Amino acid sequence: MASGRLGATDLTANSEAVVYTVPASKLASLTINAVNKSGADAKVRLALASGSTAANSEFIEYNTTIPSGGVLERTGIMLDAGKHVTANLTSGSGVNVVVYGYEV
C-alpha cells in the first residue's frame, strides 16, 4: 500500500498535466494542493479524469484564481483504478501541484 506523496509537478502554462494516476486494482484516497509561488495571481483547472485529458464533465476546479503565495486545497477525494488527477495552468506562472494520500 503506497502512502504519502503520490505525485507532484510544476505546471506549464496552457498544458494539461497528469499529476497522478491510480494504479490498476487500487483505490486512492487523495488530497490535492496547488501552490502559487509567483508574485502574481494564477488561474488553474483541476480534474478527475478517465483519460490523460479531462472532459468538460470531469473538472472539480475551473479557472480558479490562486492569489500570489496562496494555496488551493481539495480534500476527501476518492478515485478508482486507472483514473487520473490532471491540472492545467491557464494564466500566470509558478504553480505546482502535489497529490498525497494513500492507495488500497
Side-chain angles (χ1 to χ4, degrees):
M1 174 173 76
S3 63
R5 189 178 84 170
L6 301 172
T9 192
D10 284 319
L11 297 181
T12 302
N14 300 311
S15 178
E16 190 166 10
V18 174
V19 183
Y20 168 71
T21 301
V22 182
S25 303
K26 297 288 183 179
L27 174 69
S29 175
L30 308 172
T31 296
I32 304 170
N33 272 7
V35 178
N36 182 355
K37 304 170 297 204
S38 75
D41 291 353
K43 289 186 180 185
V44 298
R45 298 176 184 175
L46 299 175
L48 306 178
S50 296
S52 59
T53 302
N56 286 335
S57 62
E58 297 177 316
F59 288 97
I60 59 172
E61 296 287 345
Y62 196 84
N63 290 342
T64 301
T65 300
I66 304 175
S68 173
V71 176
L72 170 64
E73 181 176 76
R74 293 296 300 259
T75 64
I77 296 169
M78 300 295 291
L79 207 54
D80 57 333
K83 299 299 189 303
H84 310 278
V85 174
T86 68
N88 190 339
L89 179 63
T90 59
S91 74
S93 63
V95 175
N96 72 284
V97 177
V98 177
V99 174
Y100 59 95
Y102 63 93
E103 303 166 346
V104 292

